[in-house]
Amino acid sequence: MSTTSRSAADAGPRQERHLPGEEGTWVFILGDMTVFAVFFATYLYYRGQQRELFESSQRELVQAFGVINTLLLLTSSLCVALGMRAVRRRLAGAPTLAAPRLFGGALACGLGFSVMKFVEYGGKLAAGITPATNNFFMYYFILTGLHFFHLILGMAVLLYLIRSARRPTLDARQFAFVEGGACFWHMVDLIWIVLFPLLYLVK
Amino acid sequence: MNTRNQRLCAWSGPLMLALFCIGFWGVARLIPPPVPGWSATDLAHYLAEHQTRIRIGLVISMLGVAPGFAFPVAILLQLRRIEGPSSPLAYVQLVTGLLTPVLFILPMFAMAAAAYRPETRSPEITEALNDLGWLMLVGFGGPAILQNIAIAIAVFGDRRTEPVFARWVGYFNVWAALLFLPGLLVICFQGGPFAWNGVFAFWVPLSVFGAWYVVMTVALLRAVDQEERQAPPTGDPAPVGSAPVSSARLA
Amino acid sequence: MMSRAWAGPVRDRVTAVWALLVAATLLSFWLGTDHGLSSAEARTVIILVVAFVKVRFVGLYFMELRTAPVALRALFEGWCLVVCLGLIGFYLLA
């Protein structure tokens, strides 16, 4: 199989259909998204049973943290999307070194998110708020914690992307892994896009 | 190569699942699990009242889980085909996979102890034994997680043109590993979705557990078929009692 | 090989999508901090819808599902629709 994998996104008007990554990638990503969807629904269900508690506890959250984190992840996804284009351009022969730098930018955003998370969790814990405090905070810590775990995995994937982007050639399997890894990072972003309003803004 | 025995080992997985369902669910009716929030007296009363079926169900389950020891062996043999003679991931998978039946049987003994003679002791003791059983059964996710990750890494590292296990099996194992994680939280909660009878700690991992056996059995059987197909043809051994055939003279 | 030269990151479509997503985030933040409409339910429903519109954009433009096989794109869009409606339903009815 050709090492310069064409992207339908760069093709002309007659676009061919291209599966990002491989089939298994989507087994994983759609599966994970579905589980998170069940989590979200469960959260809203239990919220409905203890509305006042959830609303008063929600006021302890600093919404600005959530917004900053959302903007960080959106920017990181932009970096990854641009990075994938740079990878394809490089494989097609263009002498560009943008890809590893862009993936590095995404990683930096991820680190920024992590720092914000530590600050936020630290603040809560310092105020005596733990997952055991009440149901709202149980969901808050577990949902954001699970997402944070995915983010950490995602940063490991980004390291792999940075390394792969430096290679002069990628075989079909490696390229599929890179594309799949990029999609995983977008999934991390996407989950947060729902999680942020769900926890911080829904009243 | 021994494909027949490999297939036997592969089928041991569904067999274990079936016997576990019959014993633990059908007879003992321990699925759905007893509620962690029950008072000790209620629990002791429940166990005493349903003593017979719980015990018989547990006996069936304890025996039924034993075939589960053969399943990781089947996976080992196929992973070895991927990794070659030095196959660390295959053995990591074996070691962690062997713990699953163990971590079913041990908690079942704790539950059996709780249901052994609850009428002769204070309910708190019964409750403690029952706690030990359920926390261990639902909460011991670590080995299974590592087993799945080992399989995934091995599958992703398969460089053959026709891989032993399809790539999506690797992705499925990563997903399954992630879904076993919430189970670990049972020791922190006595109610809600992360308790030992909760959606995310019990029901989701249980479903994934069942699905994983189905997926892996199918994948194993396919891999064994593939191994058979790819093996060099060997001559049939001469039937006993017939005239000796010298292959050297026939060549 | 590509049939269209890349015009740089600023003019790339994904950057425009990013700007849109940022604007949508700020809009949700504004609504979520009790501005705009008076009804909390209306604000929340809009916030949820906006969230899933954002998710759809991430999927279609960042994950490149716009040019993916139709079945996959349908699954993704289906997820967006079902989960969006489901969550709104849970919010309003739970």
Side-chain angles (χ1 to χ4, degrees), chain B residues 1-3 227-238 247:
Chain B
M1 191 176 59
N2 218 328
T3 51
E227 189 180 356
E228 244 177 2
R229 258 186 294 120
Q230 293 180 349
T234 55
D236 287 325
S247 53

Side-chain angles (χ1 to χ4, degrees), chain A residues 12 15 17-20 33 41 44 51 63 67 74-75 77 85 88-89 92 183 186 190 193 197 201 203, chain C residues 1 3 6 12 14 18 25 28-29 32-34 44 47 51 55 62-64 66-68 72 76 79 87 91:
Chain A
Q15 289 175 345
R17 301 262 138 203
H18 165 78
L19 178 77
M33 281 165 62
L44 282 177
R51 256 210 154 107
Q63 287 160 332
V67 178
L74 286 176
T75 310
S77 266
R85 279 152 150 66
R88 288 195 198 101
R89 287 201 319 280
C183 284
H186 294 310
L190 177 164
I193 287 176
L201 303 178
K203 297 230 174 77
Chain C
M1 297 304 264
S3 56
W6 191 51
D12 194 320
V14 292
W18 172 84
T25 305
S28 295
F29 180 49
T33 44
D34 302 328
T44 299
I47 286 170
V55 165
F62 287 174
M63 287 176 164
E64 290 170 4
R66 240 176 6 119
T67 49
L72 176 62
F76 180 82
W79 183 93
L87 290 187
Y91 167 70

Side-chain angles (χ1 to χ4, degrees), chain A residues 30-45:
Chain A
L30 288 173
D32 222 14
M33 281 165 62
T34 304
V35 173
F36 268 105
V38 175
F39 260 114
F40 297 153
T42 309
Y43 166 75
L44 282 177
Y45 173 75

